[in-house]
Amino acid sequence: MKHLISPMDLSVDEINEILDLAKRIKENPEKYAHVCDGKKIATLFYEPSTRTRLSFETAMLDLGGKVIGFSSADSSSAAKGESVADTIRVISCFADICAIRHPKEGAPKVATLYSDIPVINAGDGGHNHPTQTLTDLLTIKMLKDDLNNLTIGLCGDLKFGRTVHSLINAMVRYKNTKFILISPNELKIPDYLRKEVLEANNIEFTETDELETYMPQLDILYMTRVQRERFFNEEDYVRLKDSFILDEKKMQYARKDMFVLHPLPRVNEISVDVDNDPRAVYFKQVQFGVYARMALIMKLLDIKEPS
Ligand code: CP
């Protein structure tokens, strides 16, 4: 049995297989509409979500399967003190696969130790969010046609942003990736990513607090929210939350073939006047997330492609 806890759990070949399957599903969804008949996914969300939970549920429903789950710790027996280990043993009796989001780093990994079914990390604290990464990779591949030779600007909260950490881990495995890491000093990427991932793989990267200067170099601009829920005090959050605001004026510095991605939710960091720019693809990205998760569910359940 296979789980997905980090993007590193998948080889580049496996990632590419999932992206290719997702593309085939997008082109011909009817063909896949019953491949998961009789299967169930459990979505165990101990932390708020709109996209990830509903995207998993949509993915399973669109494959012909069914959905169970809870959308907050308060509405589960976690509120009575039940451990993740016990919860996953119980869920293994009900479902064929599960997606788990938890505020504590490592909680989905703990679940794998007690689970009889595949466990997908749907976001653990500030650590990883591998299915957002599959979504991001699919979006980039569909729009740029290639995941090699890209200069990617990552902007905003690079310290706590699990989507950023997962995307860096995935993209360093493609050829000639360059990163421009744009953040306030306090929200730079964690040391382990700089040393053990970027430097260890000889990846070219620049750390800066300037967005406009680097805009003309970018193939992809990945904007992120400064996450109030990860700060220890409100004062720091208020000081840093509006460090970068992408607007149409700043978009004028970007190339015509640059695309703006954002895992969402957005707060202030992208002005709504950017939404109508054809290079703003963050809502398309949400749709790609459903196809990526459909493909992942099929892979983890070892569902054969229908003939
Ligand atoms: N991108 C993402 O994880 O969004 P949600 O928090 O709404 O699931």
Side-chain angles (χ1 to χ4, degrees):
M1 184 180 29
K2 197 148 185 184
H3 308 286
L4 180 64
I5 301 303
S6 145
M8 301 307 283
D9 295 341
L10 297 168
S11 67
V12 171
D13 283 348
E14 286 172 321
I15 290 176
N16 291 339
E17 270 174 35
I18 290 169
L19 301 185
D20 288 345
L21 176 57
K23 192 163 174 250
R24 292 195 294 281
I25 294 171
K26 179 182 183 299
E27 283 160 5
N28 191 359
E30 295 79 19
K31 183 175 164 187
Y32 301 86
H34 294 286
V35 294
C36 281
D37 280 357
K39 302 284 186 195
K40 271 182 261 160
I41 190 168
T43 51
L44 315 179
F45 276 61
Y46 295 82
E47 208 186 44
S49 166
T50 295
R51 270 146 301 276
T52 311
R53 185 172 66 83
L54 296 178
S55 176
F56 269 116
E57 297 185 358
T58 304
M60 189 48 130
L61 293 171
D62 287 354
L63 292 169
K66 295 192 171 78
V67 171
I68 58 170
F70 53 81
S71 59
S72 72
D74 288 351
S75 63
S76 79
S77 283
K80 302 177 207 160
E82 187 167 59
S83 66
V84 167
D86 283 1
T87 300
I88 197 67
R89 285 182 176 114
V90 170
I91 297 300
S92 295
C93 302
F94 300 151
D96 301 282
I97 187 167
C98 76
I100 174 167
R101 168 170 289 188
H102 203 285
K104 285 202 180 129
E105 283 91 351
K109 177 77 183 168
V110 170
T112 65
L113 306 177
Y114 300 92
S115 180
D116 293 331
I117 58 175
V119 174
I120 304 171
N121 177 6
D124 60 330
H127 191 217
N128 267 314
H129 193 346
T131 63
Q132 180 64 49
T133 301
L134 290 174
T135 301
D136 302 338
L137 296 180
L138 181 63
T139 306
I140 296 170
K141 182 135 194 224
M142 296 295 286
L143 297 169
K144 288 284 194 191
D145 212 34
D146 194 359
L147 292 169
N148 298 296
N149 305 310
L150 294 173
T151 299
I152 301 178
L154 298 161
C155 179
D157 176 1
L158 309 188
K159 178 178 181 183
F160 299 114
R162 59 193 175 199
T163 59
V164 166
H165 303 163
S166 284
L167 187 58
I168 289 176
N169 266 307
M171 283 304 302
V172 294
R173 297 191 286 167
Y174 289 89
K175 272 190 274 170
N176 197 27
T177 300
K178 292 181 194 145
F179 291 109
I180 309 293
L181 304 171
I182 308 151
S183 71
N185 196 40
E186 292 97 321
L187 296 179
K188 285 161 94 167
I189 55 164
D191 266 353
Y192 82 89
L193 266 181
R194 187 178 301 107
K195 294 199 170 87
E196 292 164 32
V197 180
L198 295 174
E199 289 173 3
N201 287 288
N202 291 317
I203 302 297
E204 196 177 320
F205 69 98
T206 302
E207 295 188 274
T208 178
D209 59 3
E210 286 176 36
L211 175 56
E212 288 94 324
T213 312
Y214 289 93
M215 283 286 270
Q217 296 183 24
L218 303 179
D219 296 300
I220 299 292
L221 173 59
Y222 194 89
M223 293 296 295
T224 62
R225 171 177 67 99
V226 174
Q227 302 172 84
R228 175 181 235 141
E229 65 272 28
R230 309 272 178 238
F231 277 78
F232 293 112
N233 72 68
E234 181 72 6
E235 241 172 63
D236 284 348
Y237 168 71
V238 169
R239 185 167 51 81
L240 295 170
K241 71 186 173 71
D242 292 330
S243 300
F244 301 98
I245 298 178
L246 181 67
D247 54 21
E248 265 303 275
K249 194 161 162 257
K250 293 195 184 86
M251 286 295 283
Q252 288 170 12
Y253 296 102
R255 298 211 303 254
K256 294 275 173 267
D257 62 350
M258 184 210 72
F259 291 107
V260 182
L261 278 68
H262 190 312
L264 304 179
R266 161 210 14 212
V267 186
N268 280 335
E269 60 279 2
I270 302 181
S271 164
V272 291
D273 64 14
V274 177
D275 294 356
N276 292 329
D277 188 308
R279 297 169 292 182
V281 295
Y282 27 89
F283 292 113
K284 267 190 194 157
Q285 193 180 345
V286 176
Q287 182 63 61
F288 288 133
V290 177
Y291 302 125
R293 291 183 177 97
M294 289 170 84
L296 177 68
I297 290 169
M298 283 182 66
K299 284 283 173 199
L300 292 182
L301 289 178
D302 200 18
I303 305 278
K304 299 285 168 274
E305 182 127 9
S307 50

